[in-house]
Amino acid sequence: MTTIAIVSALHEELAAVLDLMPDEQQQVVGGRTFWRGHLQGHDVVAVLSGIGKVAAATTAAVLIERFGVQRIVFTGVAGGLAPGVNVGDVVVARHFLQHDMDASPIFPRHEVPGYGRSRFDADAMLTAQLVRASEQVMRELPSRLGAEVMRAFGLEAPRCHQGLLISGDRFVSTTAESLALRDALPDALAVEMEGAAFAQVCHDYGVPLAVVRTISDRADDAAHVDFPRFLREVASRYSGAVIDALLAQR
Ligand code: ADE
């Protein structure tokens, strides 16, 4: 049987996944706790990614080298960049880019030296399954969250977007920086701090990757207020449900 890694960005999200695993056992490698167990009949390793690209790359390498995972699914939150990518929407990545990679003028801006490219792809099949699972959970959202939370976050009609997800070692919390990112990368849907690092390591090893991010803020001057509140009240409830729905697919 193949082993699937479930990677969460937040404690709340990992807790929601562990709640679904009846028999998990922990193992510490590289200062991280990995949880082995089963979910919907699959062999699963669940772990926190840590924050930022280095933590993410180490986590990905340990999952592949030490635990032999054959697929990786990542759930977390992100700041919306493109118009129409609103708080409460979901972005499923098709491609990844490190927005703070810049070895110019030796290499074009954003190109990862040695790879001849700036963009890395998500696995098409795993991503299609993750889109199906996300859309199912979004349909069920009103009954999961209740009308009051839905109204408070303006979640009346959440959407599932697919496209470019960009990563860098910065929490984007000014409108000026968000506009600069949109200017440099007009097709970027959302910004976070780990996805593109996972994508580079998965590319190196040929391991399929899919990433889903719930939009917690608009990466603007209000991001530092919206972000913690969203984590507390919404994000953790999305991830467990999406992973459950994904692994229930046959
Ligand atoms: N994750 C969630 N919101 C973010 C933001 N504004 N910048 C970077 N990572 C994020």
Side-chain angles (χ1 to χ4, degrees):
M1 200 200 285
T2 62
T3 304
I4 182 161
I6 305 297
V7 186
S8 308
L10 309 162
H11 283 283
E12 294 87 340
E13 291 180 315
L14 180 67
V17 171
L18 293 180
D19 278 349
L20 301 169
M21 294 169 59
D23 59 346
E24 78 276 9
Q25 305 222 330
Q26 55 171 306
Q27 191 173 337
V28 177
V29 180
R32 293 150 169 75
T33 302
F34 295 79
W35 302 86
R36 302 177 91 138
H38 297 90
L39 211 166
Q40 296 280 8
H42 294 265
D43 283 340
V44 165
V45 182
V47 66
L48 274 184
S49 66
I51 294 174
K53 292 186 298 172
V54 174
T58 304
T59 303
V62 172
L63 281 169
I64 295 165
E65 285 281 0
R66 184 69 79 95
F67 292 92
V69 303
Q70 283 106 351
R71 290 180 290 165
I72 298 181
V73 176
F74 190 114
T75 73
V77 294
L81 287 177
V85 179
N86 298 316
V87 171
D89 286 0
V90 162
V91 169
V92 179
R94 292 260 188 157
H95 316 283
F96 305 88
L97 175 147
Q98 299 174 41
H99 67 76
D100 54 356
M101 174 60 77
D102 189 356
S104 62
I106 319 284
F107 296 93
R109 186 175 177 200
H110 299 138
E111 183 171 310
V112 182
Y115 289 78
R117 55 155 79 198
S118 58
R119 294 180 184 219
F120 293 83
D121 298 328
D123 180 74
M125 209 187 332
L126 192 55
T127 296
Q129 292 174 332
L130 192 55
V131 168
R132 270 207 303 281
S134 303
E135 287 178 340
Q136 180 189 327
V137 170
M138 289 170 84
R139 278 195 300 275
E140 298 163 359
L141 208 57
S143 55
R144 285 175 186 276
L145 292 182
E148 202 178 311
V149 174
M150 295 289 286
R151 243 192 329 274
F153 285 91
L155 301 179
E156 274 76 28
R159 294 179 55 199
C160 182
H161 310 264
Q162 298 177 55
L164 177 65
L165 186 65
I166 63 174
S167 314
D169 286 323
R170 272 203 304 275
F171 184 82
V172 179
S173 60
T174 65
T175 303
E177 191 178 353
S178 164
L179 288 174
L181 287 172
R182 286 168 60 173
D183 200 44
L185 297 160
D187 61 335
L189 296 179
V191 61
E192 37 82 303
M193 301 177 71
E194 296 85 19
F198 263 87
Q200 187 175 328
V201 176
C202 286
H203 170 88
D204 288 344
Y205 283 94
V207 170
L209 170 72
V211 175
V212 60
R213 294 277 187 172
T214 313
I215 301 302
S216 56
D217 60 87
R218 278 287 303 170
D220 57 10
D221 295 336
H224 67 289
V225 181
D226 297 339
F227 175 79
R229 186 162 163 241
F230 190 87
L231 297 195
R232 268 198 320 273
E233 298 185 33
V234 184
S236 59
R237 312 206 203 171
Y238 254 96
S239 62
V242 167
I243 294 302
D244 202 31
L246 175 73
L247 296 185
Q249 287 174 26
R250 290 283 169 240

Short mmCIF file of all heavy atoms in Angstrom, two decimals, residues 78-80 84-90 150 152-159 161 214-220 222-223 226-227 229-230 234 238:
data_model
loop_
_atom_site.label_atom_id
_atom_site.label_comp_id
_atom_site.label_asym_id
_atom_site.label_seq_id
_atom_site.Cartn_x
_atom_site.Cartn_y
_atom_site.Cartn_z
N ALA A 78 -3.52 31.13 3.39
CA ALA A 78 -2.73 32.02 2.54
C ALA A 78 -3.40 33.38 2.49
O ALA A 78 -4.58 33.52 2.82
CB ALA A 78 -2.61 31.44 1.13
N GLY A 79 -2.63 34.37 2.06
CA GLY A 79 -3.18 35.70 1.84
C GLY A 79 -3.61 35.82 0.38
O GLY A 79 -2.85 35.47 -0.53
N GLY A 80 -4.82 36.32 0.14
CA GLY A 80 -5.31 36.48 -1.23
C GLY A 80 -4.62 37.64 -1.92
O GLY A 80 -4.41 38.70 -1.32
N GLY A 84 -10.78 39.23 -6.35
CA GLY A 84 -11.79 38.15 -6.31
C GLY A 84 -11.37 36.95 -5.50
O GLY A 84 -12.16 36.03 -5.31
N VAL A 85 -10.11 36.93 -5.02
CA VAL A 85 -9.67 35.83 -4.13
C VAL A 85 -9.86 36.33 -2.71
O VAL A 85 -9.01 37.03 -2.15
CB VAL A 85 -8.22 35.42 -4.41
CG1 VAL A 85 -7.79 34.30 -3.47
CG2 VAL A 85 -8.07 34.97 -5.86
N ASN A 86 -11.01 36.01 -2.13
CA ASN A 86 -11.46 36.65 -0.89
C ASN A 86 -11.30 35.76 0.33
O ASN A 86 -11.17 34.53 0.19
CB ASN A 86 -12.93 37.05 -1.04
CG ASN A 86 -13.12 38.06 -2.16
OD1 ASN A 86 -12.34 39.01 -2.28
ND2 ASN A 86 -14.11 37.84 -3.00
N VAL A 87 -11.33 36.38 1.51
CA VAL A 87 -11.27 35.62 2.77
C VAL A 87 -12.39 34.58 2.76
O VAL A 87 -13.53 34.88 2.43
CB VAL A 87 -11.41 36.57 3.98
CG1 VAL A 87 -11.57 35.78 5.28
CG2 VAL A 87 -10.21 37.51 4.07
N GLY A 88 -11.99 33.32 3.08
CA GLY A 88 -12.95 32.22 3.10
C GLY A 88 -12.95 31.41 1.82
O GLY A 88 -13.43 30.28 1.80
N ASP A 89 -12.40 31.98 0.71
CA ASP A 89 -12.23 31.19 -0.51
C ASP A 89 -11.12 30.17 -0.31
O ASP A 89 -10.36 30.24 0.67
CB ASP A 89 -11.84 32.10 -1.70
CG ASP A 89 -13.01 32.95 -2.21
OD1 ASP A 89 -14.12 32.84 -1.65
OD2 ASP A 89 -12.79 33.73 -3.16
N VAL A 90 -11.02 29.27 -1.26
CA VAL A 90 -9.97 28.25 -1.22
C VAL A 90 -9.16 28.36 -2.50
O VAL A 90 -9.73 28.60 -3.58
CB VAL A 90 -10.62 26.86 -1.08
CG1 VAL A 90 -9.66 25.75 -1.47
CG2 VAL A 90 -11.12 26.65 0.35
N MET A 150 -20.39 32.20 9.47
CA MET A 150 -20.44 32.47 8.02
C MET A 150 -20.64 33.96 7.76
O MET A 150 -19.95 34.57 6.95
CB MET A 150 -21.60 31.70 7.37
CG MET A 150 -21.47 30.21 7.38
SD MET A 150 -20.20 29.55 6.28
CE MET A 150 -20.95 29.75 4.68
N ALA A 152 -20.11 36.52 9.94
CA ALA A 152 -19.02 37.33 10.51
C ALA A 152 -17.83 37.42 9.55
O ALA A 152 -17.15 38.43 9.50
CB ALA A 152 -18.58 36.73 11.84
N PHE A 153 -17.59 36.35 8.79
CA PHE A 153 -16.45 36.36 7.88
C PHE A 153 -16.86 36.64 6.44
O PHE A 153 -16.03 36.54 5.53
CB PHE A 153 -15.71 35.02 7.96
CG PHE A 153 -14.89 34.89 9.21
CD1 PHE A 153 -15.43 34.33 10.36
CD2 PHE A 153 -13.59 35.37 9.26
CE1 PHE A 153 -14.69 34.23 11.51
CE2 PHE A 153 -12.84 35.27 10.42
CZ PHE A 153 -13.40 34.71 11.55
N GLY A 154 -18.12 36.99 6.22
CA GLY A 154 -18.58 37.27 4.86
C GLY A 154 -18.43 36.07 3.95
O GLY A 154 -18.01 36.19 2.80
N LEU A 155 -18.74 34.88 4.47
CA LEU A 155 -18.50 33.65 3.72
C LEU A 155 -19.73 33.17 2.94
O LEU A 155 -19.91 31.98 2.75
CB LEU A 155 -18.08 32.52 4.69
CG LEU A 155 -16.84 32.75 5.53
CD1 LEU A 155 -16.57 31.56 6.44
CD2 LEU A 155 -15.64 32.99 4.64
N GLU A 156 -20.53 34.12 2.48
CA GLU A 156 -21.80 33.71 1.86
C GLU A 156 -21.59 32.81 0.64
O GLU A 156 -22.29 31.83 0.46
CB GLU A 156 -22.64 34.93 1.45
CG GLU A 156 -23.51 35.47 2.59
CD GLU A 156 -22.70 36.25 3.61
OE1 GLU A 156 -21.67 36.82 3.19
OE2 GLU A 156 -23.08 36.30 4.79
N ALA A 157 -20.64 33.16 -0.20
CA ALA A 157 -20.48 32.39 -1.44
C ALA A 157 -18.99 32.09 -1.69
O ALA A 157 -18.40 32.60 -2.64
CB ALA A 157 -21.07 33.17 -2.62
N PRO A 158 -18.37 31.27 -0.84
CA PRO A 158 -16.94 30.99 -1.02
C PRO A 158 -16.68 30.26 -2.33
O PRO A 158 -17.51 29.46 -2.78
CB PRO A 158 -16.58 30.11 0.18
CG PRO A 158 -17.86 29.55 0.67
CD PRO A 158 -18.94 30.52 0.29
N ARG A 159 -15.52 30.56 -2.95
CA ARG A 159 -15.18 29.96 -4.24
C ARG A 159 -13.90 29.15 -4.13
O ARG A 159 -13.05 29.42 -3.28
CB ARG A 159 -14.98 31.06 -5.28
CG ARG A 159 -16.24 31.83 -5.60
CD ARG A 159 -15.95 32.92 -6.63
NE ARG A 159 -15.31 32.38 -7.83
CZ ARG A 159 -14.63 33.10 -8.71
NH1 ARG A 159 -14.49 34.39 -8.54
NH2 ARG A 159 -14.08 32.54 -9.77
N HIS A 161 -10.56 28.45 -6.21
CA HIS A 161 -9.75 28.93 -7.33
C HIS A 161 -8.61 27.94 -7.58
O HIS A 161 -8.14 27.30 -6.65
CB HIS A 161 -9.13 30.30 -7.02
CG HIS A 161 -10.11 31.31 -6.51
ND1 HIS A 161 -10.72 32.24 -7.32
CD2 HIS A 161 -10.58 31.56 -5.26
CE1 HIS A 161 -11.52 33.01 -6.60
NE2 HIS A 161 -11.45 32.61 -5.35
N THR A 214 -6.65 27.84 2.39
CA THR A 214 -7.82 28.66 2.66
C THR A 214 -7.36 30.10 2.80
O THR A 214 -6.32 30.37 3.43
CB THR A 214 -8.49 28.22 3.98
OG1 THR A 214 -8.58 26.81 3.97
CG2 THR A 214 -9.86 28.82 4.12
N ILE A 215 -8.09 31.04 2.24
CA ILE A 215 -7.68 32.45 2.29
C ILE A 215 -8.10 33.06 3.64
O ILE A 215 -9.29 33.16 3.94
CB ILE A 215 -8.27 33.25 1.11
CG1 ILE A 215 -7.82 32.63 -0.22
CG2 ILE A 215 -7.87 34.72 1.19
CD1 ILE A 215 -6.31 32.55 -0.41
N SER A 216 -7.08 33.42 4.43
CA SER A 216 -7.32 33.93 5.78
C SER A 216 -7.30 35.45 5.84
O SER A 216 -7.76 36.05 6.83
CB SER A 216 -6.24 33.40 6.74
OG SER A 216 -4.96 33.75 6.26
N ASP A 217 -6.74 36.10 4.83
CA ASP A 217 -6.58 37.56 4.83
C ASP A 217 -6.27 37.98 3.40
O ASP A 217 -6.09 37.13 2.52
CB ASP A 217 -5.42 37.95 5.77
CG ASP A 217 -4.10 37.32 5.35
OD1 ASP A 217 -3.40 37.91 4.52
OD2 ASP A 217 -3.79 36.20 5.81
N ARG A 218 -6.20 39.28 3.15
CA ARG A 218 -5.93 39.77 1.80
C ARG A 218 -4.48 40.27 1.65
O ARG A 218 -4.16 41.02 0.73
CB ARG A 218 -6.91 40.89 1.45
CG ARG A 218 -8.27 40.39 0.96
CD ARG A 218 -8.23 39.81 -0.45
NE ARG A 218 -7.72 40.77 -1.42
CZ ARG A 218 -7.39 40.48 -2.68
NH1 ARG A 218 -7.53 39.25 -3.14
NH2 ARG A 218 -6.94 41.40 -3.47
N ALA A 219 -3.58 39.82 2.55
CA ALA A 219 -2.16 40.20 2.46
C ALA A 219 -1.99 41.72 2.39
O ALA A 219 -1.11 42.23 1.70
CB ALA A 219 -1.48 39.51 1.26
N ASP A 220 -2.85 42.44 3.13
CA ASP A 220 -2.82 43.91 3.07
C ASP A 220 -2.66 44.49 4.47
O ASP A 220 -2.29 43.79 5.41
CB ASP A 220 -4.09 44.44 2.39
CG ASP A 220 -5.35 43.96 3.12
OD1 ASP A 220 -5.24 43.40 4.23
OD2 ASP A 220 -6.44 44.15 2.55
N ALA A 222 -4.64 45.13 6.70
CA ALA A 222 -5.51 44.52 7.73
C ALA A 222 -5.15 43.06 8.00
O ALA A 222 -5.78 42.41 8.85
CB ALA A 222 -6.98 44.62 7.30
N ALA A 223 -4.13 42.53 7.32
CA ALA A 223 -3.85 41.09 7.38
C ALA A 223 -3.57 40.61 8.81
O ALA A 223 -3.98 39.52 9.20
CB ALA A 223 -2.66 40.74 6.47
N ASP A 226 -6.99 40.11 10.56
CA ASP A 226 -7.86 39.06 10.01
C ASP A 226 -7.29 37.66 10.22
O ASP A 226 -8.02 36.71 10.47
CB ASP A 226 -8.05 39.28 8.49
CG ASP A 226 -8.75 40.60 8.20
OD1 ASP A 226 -9.41 41.11 9.11
OD2 ASP A 226 -8.63 41.10 7.07
N PHE A 227 -5.95 37.55 10.12
CA PHE A 227 -5.29 36.24 10.12
C PHE A 227 -5.55 35.42 11.39
O PHE A 227 -6.09 34.31 11.30
CB PHE A 227 -3.79 36.47 9.87
CG PHE A 227 -2.94 35.25 9.94
CD1 PHE A 227 -2.88 34.35 8.87
CD2 PHE A 227 -2.16 35.00 11.06
CE1 PHE A 227 -2.08 33.23 8.94
CE2 PHE A 227 -1.35 33.88 11.12
CZ PHE A 227 -1.31 32.99 10.06
N ARG A 229 -7.75 35.66 13.75
CA ARG A 229 -9.17 35.41 13.99
C ARG A 229 -9.67 34.28 13.08
O ARG A 229 -10.40 33.38 13.49
CB ARG A 229 -9.93 36.72 13.71
CG ARG A 229 -11.36 36.64 14.05
CD ARG A 229 -11.97 38.03 14.19
NE ARG A 229 -13.40 37.89 14.12
CZ ARG A 229 -14.16 38.45 13.19
NH1 ARG A 229 -13.62 39.21 12.26
NH2 ARG A 229 -15.44 38.27 13.20
N PHE A 230 -9.22 34.32 11.84
CA PHE A 230 -9.62 33.30 10.88
C PHE A 230 -9.10 31.92 11.31
O PHE A 230 -9.81 30.92 11.25
CB PHE A 230 -9.08 33.65 9.49
CG PHE A 230 -9.64 32.78 8.40
CD1 PHE A 230 -10.83 33.09 7.78
CD2 PHE A 230 -8.97 31.63 8.01
CE1 PHE A 230 -11.36 32.28 6.80
CE2 PHE A 230 -9.49 30.81 7.02
CZ PHE A 230 -10.68 31.14 6.40
N VAL A 234 -12.13 29.47 11.76
CA VAL A 234 -12.52 28.83 10.49
C VAL A 234 -11.51 27.78 10.01
O VAL A 234 -11.88 26.64 9.71
CB VAL A 234 -12.73 29.87 9.37
CG1 VAL A 234 -13.22 29.19 8.10
CG2 VAL A 234 -13.73 30.94 9.81
N TYR A 238 -11.81 23.60 8.19
CA TYR A 238 -11.71 23.26 6.77
C TYR A 238 -10.82 22.03 6.56
O TYR A 238 -11.17 21.12 5.85
CB TYR A 238 -11.00 24.42 6.04
CG TYR A 238 -11.85 25.31 5.18
CD1 TYR A 238 -12.32 26.51 5.68
CD2 TYR A 238 -12.11 25.01 3.86
CE1 TYR A 238 -13.04 27.38 4.89
CE2 TYR A 238 -12.84 25.87 3.06
CZ TYR A 238 -13.30 27.06 3.58
OH TYR A 238 -14.02 27.92 2.79
#
